[in-house]
Amino acid sequence: MRGIQKDLKEFHDAGIRPVAISVDSPEDSAKLCSTAGYTFPVLSDPNAETIRRYDLLHTAGGLGGTDISRPAEFLVDSTGTVRWVNFTEDIRVRAKAEDMLAAAKEIH
Amino acid sequence: MPEMVQRHRNVLLWLGTVLILLTVVSTIPQIYGLKFAPGILPWLGLLLPAAAVLCLVVGVSRAFKQPQIYRGKTLGSILGFLALVLFAGSVWLYSHARDLPKSASAPKVGQKAPDFTLKDTAGQPVTLAQMLSIPIDSASGKAPKAVLLIFYRGYW
């Protein structure tokens, strides 16, 4: 997400709106945004309903055994269709901003 | 009088120490939550401590076998133990970092992304449809071409 924020202007210029989603409460997300300086929407799914619907629930994956979202990225075009997805195999490795920008440029 | 033999520095022990330090340094991006860590990082996290163990095992065994030539029986043993602990930890971390759900029913390319209503940081409800239609730049008034949904583990 730091990488997204760093390249946010490029994403916006490409017509892409990054939207982050986690199980954190709006208060925790607000804290994260102010400390990390995120200016794109960061949304809360505390009951993991959307995370479940996207089949991303990582049961007991959080600290203290809480259910969280696994990392995943989806590029959704204006018709609501998924155009690109990324599921990392290792939580330490995330999609590169340049790969996501390249995928975004394929959408007309 | 027996001739005094100058003992060698046990270079492998120094090399092992450097590898231990590099292992620790390679975990720093994670500690700082650098989520765009390069893909090589998980492999480095395994290879560096493995190489440290190898150097130290060879270094310590030659310190014990040829103490007249090589120093470092005590220090080498301590470092070797440290490297083993570090390697065990990195193996655990590696398997833990890859222990992820299969997500077999997650939306695929070409499928519709399920709509959602979620609260933003101000507690206001936001839908995917809104994210796709509200202009990024209110001055241009143009709807975005796409939304990049980033699901993440959370702020812990």
Side-chain angles (χ1 to χ4, degrees), chain A residues 1 15 17 19-21 24 44 53-55 58 70 72-74 76 78-80 82 89 91-92 94-95 107, chain B residues 35-36 97-99 101 103-105 110-115 119 131 134-135 145-152 155:
Chain A
M1 279 162 68
R17 165 180 282 141
V19 175
I21 298 169
D24 286 350
S44 293
R53 198 170 311 143
Y54 278 74
D55 194 21
H58 187 171
R70 61 157 290 156
E73 293 87 14
F74 299 84
V76 181
S78 55
T79 70
V82 176
E89 286 183 343
I91 60 170
R92 295 171 289 181
R94 299 297 155 81
I107 301 172
Chain B
K35 299 302 189 187
F36 283 77
R98 287 177 172 249
D99 179 23
S103 300
S105 329
Q111 292 179 346
K112 288 276 177 201
D115 199 8
K119 283 182 176 164
M131 293 287 93
I134 298 169
K145 214 161 72 168
V147 160
L148 176 65
L149 297 177
I150 307 140
F151 288 87
Y152 69 105
Y155 183 42

Side-chain angles (χ1 to χ4, degrees), chain A residues 8 10 19 48 67 69 79 88-89 95 101 104:
Chain A
L8 191 60
E10 280 175 68
V19 175
D67 294 348
S69 177
T79 70
T88 185
E89 286 183 343
L101 280 165

Side-chain angles (χ1 to χ4, degrees), chain B residues 10-21 23 48-64 70-87:
Chain B
N10 200 337
V11 180
L12 283 173
L13 298 188
W14 290 95
L15 192 59
T17 308
V18 170
L19 288 166
I20 287 175
L21 291 175
T23 305
L48 290 172
V53 169
L54 194 70
C55 285
L56 288 161
V57 164
V58 175
V60 170
S61 67
R62 73 181 186 183
F64 275 96
Y70 294 109
R71 298 162 186 264
K73 276 195 282 195
T74 314
L75 185 67
S77 302
I78 294 168
L79 287 169
F81 178 73
L82 194 66
L84 271 176
V85 170
L86 209 56
F87 180 65

Side-chain angles (χ1 to χ4, degrees), chain A:
Chain A
M1 279 162 68
R2 277 161 212 263
I4 304 267
Q5 182 63 44
K6 202 175 113 251
D7 294 330
L8 191 60
K9 197 185 171 303
E10 280 175 68
F11 278 98
H12 283 174
D13 288 349
I16 309 302
R17 165 180 282 141
V19 175
I21 298 169
S22 80
V23 292
D24 286 350
S25 66
E27 294 76 24
D28 283 344
S29 300
K31 243 188 277 172
L32 171 67
C33 288
S34 67
T35 51
Y38 298 152
T39 55
F40 51 87
V42 176
L43 307 181
S44 293
D45 187 14
N47 301 319
E49 283 163 27
T50 300
I51 290 162
R52 265 194 203 94
R53 198 170 311 143
Y54 278 74
D55 194 21
L56 302 173
L57 193 73
H58 187 171
T59 309
L63 282 189
T66 52
D67 294 348
I68 58 168
S69 177
R70 61 157 290 156
E73 293 87 14
F74 299 84
L75 195 65
V76 181
D77 72 13
S78 55
T79 70
T81 306
V82 176
R83 300 295 294 265
W84 177 89
V85 291
N86 179 63
F87 299 97
T88 185
E89 286 183 343
D90 190 306
I91 60 170
R92 295 171 289 181
V93 181
R94 299 297 155 81
K96 288 194 206 115
E98 64 214 61
D99 291 347
M100 295 188 271
L101 280 165
K105 281 175 187 140
E106 300 286 307
I107 301 172
H108 300 290

